[in-house]
């Protein structure tokens, strides 16, 4: 009887839309127990799958809504809210609905076992009256969560495994950042960018950590602290909120065509400091002094942490670059692969993905490896791809980046209401906002001062203010903070981080246009570019790198650049002939070189080698030389999404005329 | 002490490549038990993640290898082995290595619990001395598997959840099939294709089921059967091996430019019979007669199964078409979306994905919904997209299809060695091969005979032989058979299915070129096309559909087609004006219509309405008319991957000259 009803109900369910609850049949018919049990198990699995689909559908529809609204905003040229900010708002709304409007009766089948097990293995085999069921460990949950889990199945279901962010959503975002970093301005400002990203992030991390430790001490004094909060926790917080993500600001820069150097500084810094923050936070977690008290200072443990930082960072860097080089070599040697753009694109995608997996399998940081892989791919592999594949890879990663980014931000909004263990502490929150501000200031201003001592092209004070203002926190900060929310300290950090992200994305992101006009940072104009581009900073660094890259790496890894036997010493003749591609000889004359991402044209590099006074000669040689136009066209090939106006705009300046006027002052 | 060693070991591990075993520290230091426990849990999770990355990396490298080899094959024009066949071979090799060469010591921490639980909930909370751990149900495993699980962790790790195929890998493949189906030849042969797909698949399913039941009876007689095997199981087997997947054959057709009608028949049939097979197999599983014996024949239960078949199929169809129409309407109304190809592509992707999720959430079949969504998108939405988005969506789904397909085939090869419960029974295998052959023959030959009675353009006997030969089994058959391998019968089916797929892909796929020349099926030639294209089959069906589509659907859903007030009755004037896009009026004169996928040009449709004798007039009107050239260019817009030569080849025949000569006989 019970079984019959159950079958009928199941048939009806098949046609109904959102059946969320599965009530198990507990019919007492003994005879067909085994068969019934199987059916019941199947039905349960089906329900669960249906529920998962519905949950994912919520997110997909959220993203769809975001896209449609964003289109409206772009169409009407509203700049006060970026798509990521909008995604957060929609996420918030859905979170409110899920939390307060929908109440799902509890599934009573979440049996709490109290077995005498003294371990929590990754795989658990449960013997239910002779039948074995396999369970996989999802994670530890705090005791006060146990009730929640049984209380609201729906909220728990829309909660993703935090590792999803690190293993699925962040890699395409970071790869895309690396892949679109190929800009002459990035390499020009490499020294400053590295300083901001490495020194700046570490400084910011420690400043924030110290300040927060002060806050925590204060909270302890007045009895506002509900659990342990150690100095390492504070440092960890410092590390995770030091990862800036000015995607909102850069989108507006792009639209308004703001100064290219400022863009390069901000973009380069934010990309690299993500990598630094990831490794830094994992090194802080790895800090484990011996002895009874695990939270005291100990030189050995700290040295070990530092060693881990260096080891993991350089390992990830090496791995990323290595895979990039391998891909370049494959695309270089399999030149006929160019006839099959699909194969080429697939190979490119797979190799880039395998960088991530390889790094993770080796215990390095996949996200960091992927970043450097993307940069290497853009610099070498991209030049070996067929034009169609260049478009395809660009568009593919652009799409993946767009989807992943908006997904993360909408999930951020959602999780403010659906996360169960929020710890909002007013003192900690106010302290965190102050600390974030202080940390950013301690990063930008002193470093800019020091850098300006060495830079010919100074970072002006309005640029510094803009960089200060553009220190938004985004996907990386969120992913790092949600990764571990087991302890009280981590939960408080997570809640606070969410607020920091919301505030910076909405307020700082929304105020970018105002800030730009307030700081009188003009849109890029003919004069603006020319004035800046004669001055080259970190010339010695740039020169060494350029020489090595142009003379050896490019010829080996791409079909552009001079033949190797022109650059290698005579004794290496046979080796050089063997390594140089036949196309390089053809290219030699016409200098079909993608170095245009590094230099304006060939004379320009002499310009940066020599003194400012001899520049007129170089430029003079140019305007009469042939390749200038060709190079300008060639720069089209570089994946310069971030500077689309350089290619498309009629104000594009990388032309002989520009070269001529540039040398005047 | 133990802890110290453990930390050191962990640091070393971080630098080593494939650390597969995690040995848990069971140090007795009581004081820092809780902290240590956390560290241990973290370490375990880290190891597990590292292992997962390494496993996935194996597949990625496999795919990379496949791509490089395939490039070599394509370059050298080897046609005896398709990429999918090659992926299987590599998969097999890796499977052998994993199975026999690598022996991983067992992880002793898979504790087998013997709790007194009388249910197997989806979520299990385990109380380990005051701490709660959450476990999710992975599935039931047979008792003799328990030892295996503890025996070889590695093999179990490379085994994917079978639902991955249905929820992640199949949807893009099927969507791509639907999206690339937009061909005039498909609609021309719609009647025959539907007959093969529906009637043919059902016939084939029952023939195979009956034959296999005979085999099973025989096996029972001679005592070769090791478990239950019911008639429903046989029918289920019939349903899953009735899904053909001639991807290998079609690739060669494409390359050799074989007759377009034959291509359309094969492709259309294979796409639709996948959908039929999925729904059919789930209806067979749903067959549950009441009473004691659940495997007897019962009219009510069978009627219910039939009802489920109709309900699920039509529901999925309706859902797929509905989402497609919604996307078309969005892209139609948000015309300014065309300025942002990224947003457009993202929207297209998300809407197509949400079809799948919506169907699954409603209890329909996502794969079927996605197929019809793809067809609708290609027919309507595609025309509203900007040219850049058209390219992007095409390329995106082409890439996804390529990756998913090769992944499935390489996994197929791998699983032959890594799956633990293979049941290879010689009688069943031989029987299955015979049954597959018979089932295909019973589908093709009688149906072709019947269809030829009604078709003007007969399906010649060499075409029939070719269709018979091209009945390969592929991804869908595999995904259906791996979905449930719990019982003895299902395990035997799975093992046999694998062999059927291997055989058909390697032997039939590899012999396509030989078979084509043996059957004297020429490559498409000027005469070939013209001779065929004057004759239109299923004219009445085609005419009704074309009229409705061209006059009402296209104007409402796309910017092409005539204005609605030209086609709707006068009384609907205001409604028509409101629904017609302004562009439609502009287009009216020049007939900028993507109907070119249905008809050669406007006169051609009159040709198919009228009798053969009046055709000279229509053609005569054409050669003098303007739009012919325009239409030929327009057909470029359709996502006709499958007929690239129509666009690229100089032998392209959709030209006025062709139209002229066509009317001679």
């Amino acid at each position: 009887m019970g079984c019959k009803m159950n079958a009928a109900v199941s048939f009806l369910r098949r046609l109904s839309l959102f059946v969320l609850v599965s009530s198990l049949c507990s019919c007492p018919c003994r005879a067909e127990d085994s068969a019934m049990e199987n059916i019941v198990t199947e039905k349960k699995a089906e329900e669960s799958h249906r529920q998962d689909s519905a949950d994912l559908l919520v997110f997909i529809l959220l993203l769809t809504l975001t896209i449609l609204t964003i289109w409206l905003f772009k169409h009407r040229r509203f700049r006060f809210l970026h798509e990521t900010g909008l995604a957060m708002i929609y996420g918030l709304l859905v979170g409110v609905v899920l939390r307060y409007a929908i109440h799902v009766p509890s599934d009573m089948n979440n049996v709490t076992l109290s077995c005498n097990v003294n371990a929590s293995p990754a795989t658990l085999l449960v013997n239910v009256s002779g039948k074995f069921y396999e369970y996989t460990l999802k994670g530890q949950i705090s005791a006060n969560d146990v009730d929640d889990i049984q209380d609201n199945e729906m909220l728990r279901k829309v909660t993703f495994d935090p590792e999803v962010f690190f293993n699925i959503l962040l890699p395409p975002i970071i790869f895309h950042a690396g892949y679109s970093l190929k800009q002459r301005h990035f390499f020009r400002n490499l020294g400053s960018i590295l300083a901001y990203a490495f020194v700046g992030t570490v400084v910011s991390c420690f400043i924030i950590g110290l300040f927060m430790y002060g806050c925590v001490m204060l909270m302890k004094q007045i009895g506002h602290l509900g659990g342990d909060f150690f100095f390492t926790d504070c440092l960890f917080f410092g590390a995770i909120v030091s990862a800036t993500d000015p995607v909102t600001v850069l989108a507006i820069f792009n639209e308004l065509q703001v100064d290219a150097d400022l863009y390069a500084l901000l973009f380069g810094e934010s990309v690299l400091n993500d990598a630094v923050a990831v490794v830094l936070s994992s090194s802080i977690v790895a800090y484990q002094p011996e002895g009874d008290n695990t939270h005291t200072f100990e030189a050995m443990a700290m040295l070990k942490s530092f060693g881990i930082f260096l080891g993991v960072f350089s390992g990830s860097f090496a791995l990323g670059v290595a895979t990039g080089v391998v891909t370049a070599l494959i695309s270089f040697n399999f030149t006929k692969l160019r006839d099959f753009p699909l194969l080429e694109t697939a190979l490119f995608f797979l190799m880039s993905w395998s960088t991530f997996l390889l790094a993770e399998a080796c215990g390095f940081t996949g996200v960091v490896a992927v970043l450097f892989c993307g940069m290497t791919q853009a610099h070498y592999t991209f030049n070996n791809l067929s034009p169609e594949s260049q478009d395809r890879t660009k568009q593919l990663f652009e799409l993946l980046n767009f989807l992943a980014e908006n997904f993360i931000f909408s999930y951020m909004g959602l999780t403010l209401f659906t996360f169960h263990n929020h710890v909002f502490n007013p003192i900690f929150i106010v302290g965190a906002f102050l600390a974030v501000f202080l940390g950013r200031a301690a990063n930008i201003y002193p470093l800019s001062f020091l850098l300006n001592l060495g830079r010919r092209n100074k970072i002006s004070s309005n640029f510094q203010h803009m960089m200060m203002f553009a220190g938004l926190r985004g996907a990386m900060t969120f992913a790092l903070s949600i990764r571990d929310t087991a302890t009280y300290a981590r939960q408080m950090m997570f809640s606070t981080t969410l607020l920091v992200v919301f505030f910076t994305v909405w307020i700082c992101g929304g105020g970018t246009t105002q800030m730009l006009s307030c700081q009188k940072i003009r849109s890029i104009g003919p004069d603006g570019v020319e004035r800046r581009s004669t001055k080259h900073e970190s010339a010695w660094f740039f020169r060494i790198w350029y020489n090595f890259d142009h003379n050896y790496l490019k010829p080996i890894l791409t079909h552009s650049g001079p033949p190797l036997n022109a650059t290698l010493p005579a004794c290496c003749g046979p080796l050089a002939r063997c390594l140089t591609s036949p196309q390089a000889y053809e290219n030699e004359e016409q200098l079909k070189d993608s170095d245009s991402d590094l230099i304006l044209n060939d004379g320009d590099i002499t310009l940066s080698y020599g003194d400012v006074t001899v520049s007129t000669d170089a430029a003079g040689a140019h305007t009469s030389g042939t390749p200038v136009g060709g190079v300008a066209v060639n720069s089209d090939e570089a994946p310069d999404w971030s500077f689309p106006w350089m290619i498309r705009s009629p104000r594009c300046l990388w032309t002989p005329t520009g070269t001529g006027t540039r040398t005047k002052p």
Side-chain angles (χ1 to χ4, degrees), chain A:
Chain A
M1 243 285 290
C3 317
K4 191 177 175 181
M5 250 187 63
N6 204 60
V9 167
S10 121
F11 183 61
L12 280 174
R13 262 188 201 155
R14 207 167 253 279
L15 297 165
S16 75
L17 201 73
F18 278 87
V19 185
L20 300 172
V21 199
S22 86
S23 63
L24 278 179
C25 126
S26 50
C27 71
C29 25
R30 269 258 151 267
E32 11 182 70
D33 227 26
S34 155
M36 270 318 295
E37 211 170 90
N38 274 342
I39 293 167
V40 165
T41 312
E42 259 168 43
K43 220 153 260 164
K44 251 190 302 177
E46 204 185 301
E47 284 302 332
S48 158
H49 168 67
R50 207 179 286 186
Q51 172 68 52
D52 287 343
S53 302
D55 295 336
L56 200 50
L57 190 62
V58 169
F59 284 99
I60 304 291
L61 293 182
L62 247 169
L63 290 187
T64 310
L65 205 62
T66 308
I67 290 175
L68 289 179
T69 323
I70 273 306
W71 163 78
L72 212 73
F73 278 33
K74 289 209 172 186
H75 183 50
R76 303 225 178 283
R77 300 192 183 283
F78 289 160
R79 291 208 186 90
F80 63 87
L81 191 58
H82 187 248
E83 58 214 47
T84 50
L86 192 75
M88 285 201 300
I89 294 179
Y90 282 131
L92 274 178
L93 294 180
V94 173
V96 170
V97 171
L98 286 183
R99 180 81 192 229
Y100 300 109
I102 301 176
H103 189 74
V104 181
S106 137
D107 183 352
M108 290 313 291
N109 297 293
N110 286 317
V111 185
T112 311
L113 293 178
S114 302
C115 296
N116 291 324
V117 209
N118 45 15
S120 52
T123 310
L124 194 70
L125 296 179
V126 179
N127 184 342
V128 184
S129 47
K131 280 179 182 289
F132 288 92
Y133 291 91
E134 190 182 355
Y135 283 83
T136 40
L137 180 62
K138 216 178 160 189
Q140 194 192 336
I141 41 171
S142 63
N144 53 343
D145 240 18
V146 173
D147 297 332
D148 285 338
I149 281 189
Q150 286 167 325
D151 189 45
N152 197 336
E153 184 80 355
M154 182 76 185
L155 287 190
R156 225 174 40 76
K157 277 274 190 175
V158 292
T159 307
F160 284 86
D161 179 0
E163 292 301 315
V164 163
F165 298 100
F166 258 84
N167 299 326
I168 295 172
L169 295 171
L170 271 186
I173 296 181
I174 302 291
F175 182 87
H176 178 254
Y179 197 48
S180 54
L181 201 66
K182 190 192 187 186
Q183 294 158 10
R184 56 180 79 81
H185 284 269
F186 172 73
F187 283 101
R188 288 253 169 89
N189 294 301
L190 193 57
S192 307
I193 290 171
L194 288 179
Y196 285 125
F198 283 85
V199 185
T201 306
V202 173
V203 165
S204 158
C205 166
F206 277 88
I207 295 274
I208 295 177
L210 284 169
F211 191 90
M212 291 322 292
Y213 194 60
C215 283
V216 168
M217 287 291 107
L218 178 72
M219 285 155 65
K220 205 178 236 169
Q221 287 294 324
I222 59 174
H224 265 242
L225 204 65
D228 283 341
F229 210 119
F230 301 104
F231 182 63
T232 43
D233 290 327
C234 294
L235 269 188
F236 181 80
F237 183 72
I240 62 174
V241 295
S242 292
T244 59
D245 179 14
V247 51
T248 315
V249 175
L250 293 180
I252 294 172
F253 276 28
N254 226 337
E255 220 169 303
L256 297 183
Q257 308 182 1
V258 169
D259 186 280
D261 272 327
L262 179 57
Y263 187 103
L265 281 175
L266 257 178
F267 189 49
E269 185 222 341
S270 78
V271 163
L272 287 178
N273 80 6
D274 277 2
V276 174
V278 175
V279 184
L280 199 59
S281 63
S282 69
S283 315
I284 291 169
V285 170
Y287 175 80
Q288 275 155 14
E290 293 172 60
D292 283 348
N293 191 343
T294 51
H295 295 278
T296 48
F297 176 80
E298 196 191 285
M300 261 311 290
M302 197 173 149
L303 266 182
K304 211 187 87 187
S305 273
F306 186 70
I308 289 176
F309 177 83
L310 284 188
V312 170
F313 197 93
S314 55
S316 307
F317 173 82
L319 247 173
V321 171
T323 339
V325 166
V326 168
T327 317
L329 280 175
I330 289 177
S331 58
F332 177 77
N333 290 320
F334 282 66
T335 38
K336 290 282 185 248
L337 208 59
R338 293 169 65 106
D339 302 339
F340 308 100
L342 175 63
L343 294 187
E344 220 176 17
T345 313
L347 189 74
F348 187 90
F349 177 78
L350 290 176
M351 289 298 288
S352 306
W353 192 12
S354 66
T355 309
F356 176 82
L357 294 173
L358 190 61
E360 292 285 318
C362 296
F364 296 124
T365 312
V367 172
V368 178
V370 146
L371 169 66
F372 293 108
C373 174
M375 291 168 70
T376 319
Q377 304 277 40
H379 200 63
Y380 300 113
T381 317
F382 189 79
N383 295 310
N384 294 337
L385 296 179
S386 64
E388 199 184 331
S389 296
Q390 293 183 342
D391 280 348
R392 283 186 178 208
T393 52
K394 259 198 273 181
Q395 291 167 357
L396 176 69
F397 284 104
E398 197 185 359
L399 180 69
L400 291 180
N401 170 61
F402 178 83
L403 291 176
E405 206 167 66
N406 284 299
F407 185 89
I408 291 188
F409 278 89
S410 67
Y411 186 78
M412 254 188 250
L414 190 98
T415 206
L416 186 66
F417 286 96
T418 58
F419 184 68
H420 263 286
N421 302 312
H422 275 305
V423 180
F424 290 108
N425 186 312
I427 301 180
F428 193 83
I429 292 169
V430 173
F433 273 88
L434 283 177
V436 163
F437 182 81
L438 278 180
R440 183 77 187 158
N443 172 353
I444 298 297
Y445 295 117
L447 268 183
S448 303
F449 175 76
L450 289 177
L451 286 171
N452 274 343
L453 296 180
R455 276 175 78 107
R456 288 197 204 145
N457 162 24
K458 309 285 184 217
I459 300 168
S460 61
S461 70
N462 58 349
F463 277 24
Q464 293 177 27
H465 297 325
M466 196 63 223
M467 288 183 74
M468 171 78 207
F469 183 79
L472 312 190
R473 270 63 175 177
M476 180 57 88
T477 302
F478 172 75
L480 281 171
S481 70
I482 203 178
R483 211 172 187 182
D484 179 5
T485 51
T487 66
Y488 171 80
R490 292 291 166 88
Q491 285 161 6
M492 190 146 77
M493 281 184 217
F494 175 63
S495 308
T496 311
T497 304
L498 270 187
L499 295 183
V500 169
V501 174
F502 286 161
F503 179 84
T504 53
V505 169
W506 284 332
I507 307 299
C508 300
T512 307
T513 331
Q514 285 74 33
M515 189 69 186
L516 278 176
S517 62
C518 163
Q519 291 297 328
K520 300 193 178 54
I521 297 174
R522 289 156 306 160
S523 297
I524 221 166
D527 309 316
V529 174
E530 286 150 41
R531 193 171 44 75
R532 310 203 70 83
S533 52
T534 37
K535 298 167 188 161
H536 299 285
E537 59 128 358
S538 57
W540 62 270
F541 191 87
F542 181 64
R543 195 189 323 159
I544 294 169
W545 160 250
Y546 176 82
N547 270 337
F548 182 70
D549 182 55
H550 181 259
N551 291 340
Y552 307 110
L553 292 180
K554 285 251 167 164
I556 293 176
L557 296 174
T558 73
H559 293 289
S560 56
L564 268 182
N565 34 9
T567 55
L568 277 179
C571 60
C572 308
L575 181 72
R577 259 190 299 282
C578 145
L579 283 174
T580 303
S581 103
Q583 277 161 271
Y585 294 102
E586 296 166 26
N587 297 339
E588 198 183 4
E589 289 300 303
Q590 49 186 341
L591 217 139
K592 181 204 156 288
D593 188 0
S594 55
D595 280 333
S596 50
D597 60 305
L598 275 178
I599 48 160
L600 297 187
N601 45 51
D602 217 38
D604 198 56
I605 190 68
T606 353
L607 195 87
S608 69
Y609 289 175
D611 208 30
V612 189
T613 45
V614 297
S615 59
T616 330
D617 282 330
H622 271 167
T623 27
S624 61
T626 37
V628 183
V631 172
V633 170
N634 245 305
S635 76
D636 210 344
E637 283 179 23
D640 260 330
W641 302 277
S642 13
F643 288 128
W645 70 88
M646 287 195 176
I647 298 156
R648 290 182 215 140
S649 150
R651 277 180 285 171
C652 164
L653 285 155
W654 315 112
T655 53
T657 337
T659 328
T661 50
R662 233 169 62 215
T663 50
K664 270 171 195 162

